[in-house]
């Protein structure tokens, strides 16, 4: 990485998306044995964990699952970035 790209990267901050609209995260569990899926659930993993437990109780030899999650992030201008003050002034 060149010094220029380090400088450009330091002018931005990465954080969890907290705006209304998108979920904080999504979760889905897939049975490794048969490929059945729990369905996608927003914001908490408990429903897909319960799905895995129920699935194994119905198919006692299906005991491995793959959890897939999406976590929504955002990048904003950091202090020192010319856009930092401009965007802060325009925020209601
Ligand atoms: Zn299964």
């Amino acid at each position: 990485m060149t010094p220029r790209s380090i400088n450009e990267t330091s002018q931005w901050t990465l954080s969890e998306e907290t705006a209304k609209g998108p979920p904080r995260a999504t979760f889905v569990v897939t049975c490794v044995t048969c490929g059945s899926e729990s369905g996608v659930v927003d914001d908490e993993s408990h429903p897909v964990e319960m799905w895995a437990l129920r699935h194994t109780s119905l198919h006692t030899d299906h005991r491995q699952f793959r959890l897939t999650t999406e976590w929504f992030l955002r990048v904003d201008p950091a202090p020192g970035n010319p856009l930092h003050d401009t965007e802060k002034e325009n925020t209601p």
Side-chain angles (χ1 to χ4, degrees), residues 31 33-34 36 55 62:
C31 174
T33 305
C34 72
S36 293
H55 187 77
H62 297 199

Side-chain angles (χ1 to χ4, degrees), residues 10-91:
S10 68
Q11 292 188 357
W12 298 94
T13 60
L14 181 67
S15 60
E16 182 178 349
E17 175 61 83
T18 58
K20 290 185 178 177
R24 185 182 137 262
T26 62
F27 302 89
V28 62
V29 166
T30 305
C31 174
V32 172
T33 305
C34 72
S36 293
E37 288 189 356
S38 64
V40 178
V41 177
D42 290 350
D43 295 325
E44 70 171 279
S45 61
H46 183 73
V48 297
E49 293 168 11
M50 295 306 295
W51 180 89
L53 291 168
R54 280 193 306 273
H55 187 77
T56 296
S57 72
L58 296 172
H59 312 278
T60 55
D61 57 338
H62 297 199
R63 299 185 183 191
Q64 291 184 314
F65 297 89
R66 181 181 65 245
L67 171 66
T68 305
T69 186
E70 292 182 335
W71 185 31
F72 297 92
L73 304 174
R74 65 175 293 118
V75 174
D76 290 303
N81 183 319
L83 293 173
H84 180 263
D85 292 335
T86 303
E87 291 186 7
K88 199 171 187 178
E89 291 170 5
N90 295 330
T91 302

Side-chain angles (χ1 to χ4, degrees), residues 1-10:
M1 183 179 294
T2 66
R4 178 183 166 95
S5 63
I6 292 171
N7 185 39
E8 289 172 354
T9 302
S10 68

